[in-house]
Amino acid sequence: MGLHSPNILLVLITALLAKSLVVVDATEPAISYDARSLIINGNRELLFSGSIHYPRTQPEMWPDLFEKAKLGGINVIQTYIFWNIHEAVKDKLTFEGNADIVKFFKVAQEHGLWVCLRVGPYIAAEWNQGGFPYWLREVPDISFRNYNEPFMFHMKKFTEMVINMMKKEKLFLPQGGPIILIQDGEKYINWAAEMATGLYNEVPWIMCKQPNAPPLVIETCNGRHCADTFKGTNGPNKPLMWTENWTAQYRAFGDPPSQRSAEDIAFSVANFFARGGSFVNYYMYYGGTNYGRVSSSFVTTRYYDEAPLDEFGLRRDPKFGHLRDVHRALRLSKKALFKGAKSEQKINEHVRAVIYDKPGDASICAAFLINNSTKIPATVKFRELDFYVPAKSISILPDCKTVVYNSDTVVSQHNSRNFVTVNTDNNLDWEFYREPIPTIETLPIKNPTPIELYSLTKDVSDYAWYSTSVNFDRRDLPMRPDVLPIMQIQNNGHAMVSFLNGELVGFAHGKLDAKKFTQEKPVNLRPGINHISLLCMTLGIQNSGAHMEKRWTGPDNLVIKGLNTGTLDLTDNDWGHEVGVNGEKLELFTEEGAQKVKWELDTGLGTPATWYKAYFDAPPGDDPLAITMDSMQKGQMWINGKSIGRYWASFITPLGKPSQSEYHIPRAFLKPTKNLVVVFEEAGGIPHNITILTVNRDTICTFLRETTPPSVHQFERKDNQLRPIVDDLKVGARLECPPGKVMQRVEFASFGDPVGACGMYSQGKCHSPNSQKVVEEHCLGKSSCTIPLKREAYDQKEQDTCPETFKVLAAQALCVATP
C-alpha cells in the first residue's frame, strides 16, 4: 500500500489457475486482454481479488483463510513477494515456514482460487524498508528505485530467481500466474517493463499509479474510489483494473482506529464495475500480523484489522457479507456486462442509470441506478418501473427490472468481536531478569561520536547501547540540592531509554510523521565519574519516499545544561556501542536460553530494560488467542521462542487508549501445556495484569429495514433469465452462528426505530414490546434462524404505536458451543 507516498507500482498479472483448465484453443494465449477484461482460457472473467500476505499469517491458517475468502466471493488471492524475508543475508535464500510461497500458492490452488503475485522487488506495504533487505543499502553507489546500475543488477537478479522458481514449479498460466511490481523515473520504468516482459511474456503486465506507463503494460489504479479518481488506461485496448481498493487503513502507534464502512466499499466496487471495470483487489482482505520486526517505521503489530477477515482470521460482518453480496450481484450481471453495449441515462439531478444491453435480446440487460447525493434518497422511474434508491447508493438490476442488491442496504448479518479472559491465576506467575546497564568500558565498539543507528545495528536488532562517561569536580555541580543540571539529548528516532549511573533518567520517542525528538530531564550528577548510557531503538525502516537508502536515525547530540561552568557538550566525548541487548544474545525467549540466567520472582517494581517470563496452558477449543499488554509500556513478546511482535501500550492515541491492546498468538505456536511467554519491557511496565484471551465473534446481529430489497442469494440466473429461488422474497432477517454453536440468548431485540451498532444497540422512540418474544421464539437454541420482517408478526394493527414509521428490526444474539 502506498497511501503516504506517491508510489509508482509496476505489476505483472497472471491468473494462477487453481484447478487444471483446458485451453479452449491451443492457438490462442491462455491469458490475454482487451479493453473490456482479462480473458482466461477463452473466457472473460469478473475478478474479485483479496490481498493476503503469506508472512503476515501462518501456514496452519492458510486453508481456513482461503476457504473463507472463497465463501466471500473472492476468486483471486493477491500477495507480494517479500525480498527481505527470503534473502535477509545476501545470496542465502530461504522459503520455509510462513515464507514458503510455493506452498501458499498450492494451498490456494487446492481451494479453487487463482493467485496474483506481486514480485516487487520494491513493495512498500508498510513493510520494513519496503521489502528491500538491509544489505542492499550497503551496496556501493546504489540508489533505490532509479535507473542505477547496482540497483538494477540486484533487482533483476532477485526477480529472475522468483520468475524461474515459478516456472520450475509450473505456476504460470497455463500453469498459474503472478503480478510484478516495480517503480520510479521514466527511463527506469521503461527498463523495468522491458526486463519484466523479457523474463516472462505470456501474461499481461500492469502498472499501478503510473500515468506514463510504457506500451508493454497496463496502467491501473490504487485508492478508495477509483471509479471517480482514475482517468483510465494508457491505451485503447487495455481493461480497467483496480489493484488496491483500501478496505480501511493500516495503523501506526499513536493512531486511533481506522474505519471504512462496508457500504462505502460496496458503493466504490459497484461504481467501478458500472464504469466498465472487471478486476478489483481488496487491500487488505485479510490483514494479518506483523510478526517479529517486519513492519516499517512505527507501524503497529496488527495490520489492517478492519479488513473483511480480521487479524484473527474471523469474519468481520457486515463488511465480509456485504462485499460477498455485491460480488454475487455483479456475477448475475456478468453476461450483460461483457456482451452488452454501455449507455447512460440521467434520471434527475443526482440519479443516473448505467445500462449494459443488447437491443433485441432481453437476456442481455443489466443496469446500475446510481444516486450520488450524500443526503437525499430518491424514488425514480426507470423503464416504466419505480425504484427507491437510498442516498449515496447504487442499486444493481441484473435484468434491468429487478433490484437484487443496493450498496447502502445491508442484508447480511453483523457481528461483534469478544475477548474472553482465560483463567490464568495458576500459571501466569511472572519472574524477571534485569538487563545489565553497560558503561563505555564494557561496550566493544568505540567511536569519537555516536554512530548512526541503522548502520550500527544493520537491522539485526531493534536495540543498540550507547555510553559515554564524564568526570565532575564538586565545584562543577550546582550547590543547591533543589537545582539540578539538565541532560538534553537530541535523537533522530525512534525511541530511547536513558540511564545515569545505572539508574533510569527517562523514556522518550518520536512518531511516524515526526521521528526526531529531544529528551530533557534533570539529572543527579555526582562528583567523580558519571556514566551515561542510552538504550536506543528502531521501529523498522521507512518503507517509502525518495532516497530510502540514505535514511538515518539515532542520537546525534548530548549536552548537560546548568553546570556551574555552563553548558557541557558531550557529543564528541568518545562513545562505546553495542548492537542488541544481552537477553537477545542469550535467547532468553527460548526454553533453553531462559536457563542461562537467574530469574527472580517479580515484585511489581516495573524497572526498564527488564525481561519477564511466565507459563500458561493452551485454552481448550479452537478459538483464536490473544494477549493483552495494556499494563506494559513498550517492548517485544515471544511465545515458545517465536516472536509475536512489538507492543507499545504507553503510546496513547487522542482517544486516550493505546493504538493496540490485544496481540495475536497463533494457535500453531502453542503446546497443550506449559507454554513459555517472554516479554522484554524497555521502559518500565508491570506485567501482573497481562492476560491471555480467547477471541470470538459469537455476538451476531441483524439490522434490517422494511424497505430492504430481497437478498441477492434469493436469485439465480437460469436459462438466460434472472429467477427467484424462493417463493417468498420477503422472508425476513437471518441469523447464523459460527459452526458448532447455537444461540444461547437474545441480548437485544427491537422492531421499530432502534439505533446503534452490533454489540451496542438501543431502543428508539418507536418499539414493539413483542420484539424480544418474537426473536426468541424463532432463534433460541438454534444454529440459524429466520426472523419475520412483517408488522403483523409483532403487533396487531391497533397496537402499533407508530404506524407511519418505516420499521427496522434490530436483533442481537449470543452464540455458544454446543455440548
Side-chain angles (χ1 to χ4, degrees), residues 563-751:
L563 299 169
N564 287 340
T565 51
T567 296
L568 177 64
D569 189 338
L570 296 178
T571 307
D572 300 328
N573 193 53
D574 289 332
W575 289 77
H577 308 76
E578 185 172 28
V579 176
V581 291
N582 189 54
E584 284 181 302
K585 298 176 177 65
L586 296 174
E587 297 187 335
L588 298 185
F589 44 81
T590 66
E591 195 68 61
E592 181 181 1
Q595 309 306 315
K596 297 177 182 178
V597 299
K598 181 180 179 181
W599 298 81
E600 299 177 50
L601 187 64
D602 183 52
T603 55
L605 295 178
T607 54
T610 300
W611 294 83
Y612 296 96
K613 76 178 178 76
Y615 292 91
F616 69 96
D617 296 338
D622 56 5
D623 284 342
L625 298 182
I627 184 170
T628 181
M629 302 297 293
D630 280 3
S631 67
M632 306 302 283
Q633 292 199 40
K634 181 181 180 297
Q636 297 187 52
M637 304 161 289
W638 293 262
I639 302 292
N640 292 328
K642 296 182 179 180
S643 174
I644 58 172
R646 303 179 178 112
Y647 67 88
W648 197 347
S650 62
F651 201 153
I652 303 300
T653 77
L655 297 177
K657 298 180 179 180
S659 295
Q660 182 174 348
S661 294
E662 305 87 14
Y663 294 80
H664 182 204
I665 301 175
R667 284 264 183 184
F669 286 6
L670 298 184
K671 305 177 294 183
T673 60
K674 209 171 188 315
N675 293 284
L676 174 65
V677 52
V678 174
V679 174
F680 179 56
E681 169 58 42
E682 302 161 5
I686 299 173
H688 291 180
N689 290 327
I690 291 176
T691 54
I692 307 298
L693 311 167
T694 59
V695 190
N696 66 61
R697 287 188 176 270
D698 291 347
T699 299
I700 60 173
C701 304
T702 185
F703 192 89
L704 215 57
R705 305 181 183 98
E706 281 185 301
T707 56
T708 298
S711 168
V712 66
H713 298 279
Q714 295 173 341
F715 296 91
E716 66 178 358
R717 183 166 288 282
K718 190 173 182 180
D719 300 328
N720 282 327
Q721 291 186 340
L722 184 72
R723 296 181 177 181
I725 56 177
V726 295
D727 294 330
D728 183 0
L729 291 174
K730 299 289 285 185
V731 293
R734 181 173 174 80
L735 288 176
E736 184 174 2
C737 286
K741 298 181 180 181
V742 299
M743 282 168 264
Q744 182 190 57
R745 66 176 181 269
V746 175
E747 298 179 321
F748 180 88
S750 179
F751 184 71

Side-chain angles (χ1 to χ4, degrees), residues 471-497:
N471 193 347
F472 289 113
D473 187 275
R474 182 173 294 280
R475 289 171 297 180
D476 298 325
L477 304 176
M479 302 300 292
R480 290 176 51 178
D482 60 333
V483 178
L484 295 178
I486 301 297
M487 184 166 70
Q488 176 185 286
I489 307 169
Q490 294 180 355
N491 196 310
N492 292 291
H494 300 152
M496 176 184 70
V497 181

Side-chain angles (χ1 to χ4, degrees), residues 28-43:
E28 295 293 325
I31 180 169
S32 61
Y33 61 85
D34 58 19
R36 190 63 194 91
S37 73
L38 294 181
I39 303 167
I40 301 174
N41 285 345
N43 299 311

